[in-house]
């Protein structure tokens, strides 16, 4: 932790979502040795393929591309699995970009799955404000794409895995061609591969746009993110560990983490990318004595939580915020208080993503904040 050290500065990132991978990416590029700890799937694994948030700088755009996110200069329309046409800045590259299809007829593949009502969705999309304004039509087209009876009922994720097989992609392309060889574009459910890029393969085979709608939580988009994250981290040389962190202690000299298996880990700086209430990084618990609800950080650290302008506790929990007064939106606003670089009040601790109070809970915000926190952590660690 002093000048002339033989080893690079060490940074530990706690959390494996968008903010965590961005923090690891930036810290490695700043010259730090990085270990990323995560115990289970968080909110990023529930990602539906839609990436909202602020404009990105060049580094964030590079990382977004590596994670399979196509980012546009302005909002572009996509179709959701709920039958809505909405505008997005970023999207999983498998999602069908509807912008160049304005004024055309888009075929919605009716493959006979129990979770996919192509006729109803086509009507809903056609009645949307965007489709009416652009005179775009969506038409359900029957496609014989299922090879086994059980494929009607398996999860979208499992069906997506079936389409990781190249021969199956070619079979689907042939089925689409037989169903309507004149279709200008094809819109399918969220099944177009998990480990592979079936959407661009189909588009190349059919010589027309092919894509999917947004995923359900726990579907293919989140699974794709996790696979791409692991690939990025491997290429960076980040040490990736499945571990639950129970506490973090920090000082001007560095930080020490206690893990759930009883072991410890030392670092020059730590980035908390735990996620918010939805991911379990911030807990909503009942006080045993009074039974009142309150918030607590999921690990022990000398970092207070904040909700709007109110400090909840000098420790990491408080009991009894009023949801009548604060509204259910408090579940998204509560978090630790960090400056614009992600620095916390405790020495050598930084934070990014949904665990930070009052920041937007979006994918692109998490990437930008993670990069800032990772750079700052690496700089703090190298400074000794």
């Amino acid at each position: 932790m002093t000048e002339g050290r033989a080893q690079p500065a060490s940074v530990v990132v706690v959390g494996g979502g968008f903010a965590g991978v961005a923090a690891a990416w930036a810290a490695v590029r700043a010259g730090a040795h990085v270990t990323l700890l995560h115990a289970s799937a968080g909110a990023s694994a529930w990602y539906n393929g839609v990436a909202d948030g602020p404009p990105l700088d060049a580094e964030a755009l590079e990382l977004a591309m590596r994670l399979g996110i196509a980012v546009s200069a302005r909002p572009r329309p996509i179709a959701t699995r709920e039958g809505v046409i909405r505008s997005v800045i970023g999207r999983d590259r498998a999602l069908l970009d509807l912008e160049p299809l304005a004024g055309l007829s888009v075929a919605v593949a009716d493959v006979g799955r129990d979770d996919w009502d192509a006729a109803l969705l086509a009507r809903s999309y056609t009645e949307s404000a965007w489709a009416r304004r652009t005179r775009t039509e969506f038409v359900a087209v029957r496609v014989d794409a299922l090879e086994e009876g059980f494929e009607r009922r398996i999860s979208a994720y499992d069906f997506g895995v079936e389409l990781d097989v190249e021969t199956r992609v070619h079979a689907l392309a042939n089925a689409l061609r037989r169903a309507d060889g004149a279709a200008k574009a094809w819109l399918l459910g969220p099944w177009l591969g998990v480990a592979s890029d079936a959407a661009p393969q189909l588009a190349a085979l059919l010589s027309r746009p092919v894509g999917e709608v947004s995923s359900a939580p726990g579907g293919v988009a989140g699974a794709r993110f996790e696979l791409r994250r692991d690939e990025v981290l491997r290429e960076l040389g980040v040490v990736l560990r499945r571990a639950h962190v129970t506490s973090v202690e920090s000082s001007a000299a560095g930080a020490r983490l206690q893990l759930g298996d009883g072991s410890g880990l030392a670092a020059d700086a730590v980035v908390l990318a735990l996620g918010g209430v939805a991911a379990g990084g911030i807990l909503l618990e009942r006080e045993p004595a009074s039974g009142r609800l309150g918030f607590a950080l999921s690990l022990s650290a000398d970092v207070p939580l904040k909700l709007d302008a109110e400090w909840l506790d000098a420790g990491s929990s408080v009991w009894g915020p009023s949801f009548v007064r604060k509204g259910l939106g408090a579940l998204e606003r509560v978090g630790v208080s960090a400056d614009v670089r992600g620095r916390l009040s405790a020495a050598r601790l930084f934070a990014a993503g949904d665990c930070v109070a009052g920041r937007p809970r979006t994918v692109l915000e998490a990437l930008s904040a993670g990069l800032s926190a990772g750079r700052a952590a690496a700089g703090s660690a190298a400074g000794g």
Side-chain angles (χ1 to χ4, degrees), residues 65-129:
M65 181 181 67
R66 292 295 311 279
L67 294 173
I69 302 172
V71 181
S72 306
R74 58 183 179 81
R76 299 173 77 91
I78 58 96
T80 72
R81 62 183 290 274
E82 293 80 18
V84 175
I85 302 294
R86 60 159 297 190
S87 295
V88 301
I89 290 291
R91 58 182 172 80
D92 183 290
R93 58 177 174 244
L95 270 65
L96 184 63
D97 180 8
L98 296 174
E99 183 78 11
L101 304 177
L104 301 178
S105 178
V106 178
V108 181
D110 181 1
V111 301
R113 278 181 53 83
D114 292 345
D115 64 351
W116 179 251
D117 190 332
L120 180 61
L121 288 170
R123 290 196 299 272
S124 181
Y125 298 143
T126 300
E127 290 300 315
S128 69

Side-chain angles (χ1 to χ4, degrees), residues 8-100:
S10 61
V11 173
V12 171
V13 178
V14 183
F18 285 104
V21 70
W25 167 286
V28 168
R29 288 192 161 194
H33 176 272
V34 177
T35 299
L36 188 144
L37 307 175
H38 73 112
S40 59
S44 295
W46 306 337
Y47 162 62
N48 67 355
V50 172
D52 294 313
L56 301 182
D57 62 20
E59 186 175 17
L61 283 171
E62 181 184 357
L63 177 55
M65 181 181 67
R66 292 295 311 279
L67 294 173
I69 302 172
V71 181
S72 306
R74 58 183 179 81
R76 299 173 77 91
I78 58 96
T80 72
R81 62 183 290 274
E82 293 80 18
V84 175
I85 302 294
R86 60 159 297 190
S87 295
V88 301
I89 290 291
R91 58 182 172 80
D92 183 290
R93 58 177 174 244
L95 270 65
L96 184 63
D97 180 8
L98 296 174
E99 183 78 11

Side-chain angles (χ1 to χ4, degrees), residues 326-362:
K326 294 288 189 180
L328 290 178
L331 297 173
E332 292 193 339
R333 299 193 303 274
V334 67
V336 300
S337 181
D339 67 15
V340 293
R341 295 196 305 160
R343 185 184 299 273
L344 300 176
S345 56
R348 301 298 184 96
L349 292 189
F350 299 80
D354 290 2
C355 67
V356 178
R359 301 295 292 272
R361 270 51 173 162
T362 64

Side-chain angles (χ1 to χ4, degrees), residues 262-345:
S263 64
L265 183 64
D268 294 307
V270 174
V271 178
L272 301 179
L274 307 167
V277 174
I282 296 172
L283 307 177
L284 181 61
E285 300 180 321
R286 288 193 181 277
E287 183 186 41
S290 68
R292 289 179 296 172
L293 285 173
F295 294 108
L297 205 61
S298 63
L299 53 78
S300 175
D302 186 19
V303 180
L305 294 179
K306 194 172 187 179
L307 176 56
D308 301 332
E310 178 184 358
W311 290 102
L312 298 184
D313 191 30
S316 56
S317 65
V318 72
W319 308 104
S322 171
F323 288 105
V324 174
R325 180 169 58 89
K326 294 288 189 180
L328 290 178
L331 297 173
E332 292 193 339
R333 299 193 303 274
V334 67
V336 300
S337 181
D339 67 15
V340 293
R341 295 196 305 160
R343 185 184 299 273
L344 300 176
S345 56

Side-chain angles (χ1 to χ4, degrees), residues 147-180:
E147 295 185 355
E148 301 287 347
F150 68 82
E151 292 179 353
R152 291 187 52 184
R153 298 176 296 277
I154 59 176
S155 71
Y157 170 85
D158 289 328
F159 193 43
V161 171
E162 295 287 323
L163 291 174
D164 282 333
V165 180
E166 186 175 356
T167 55
R168 189 64 187 271
V169 174
H170 282 266
L172 177 56
N174 290 333
L176 294 171
R177 192 178 292 111
R178 288 192 302 269
D180 187 351

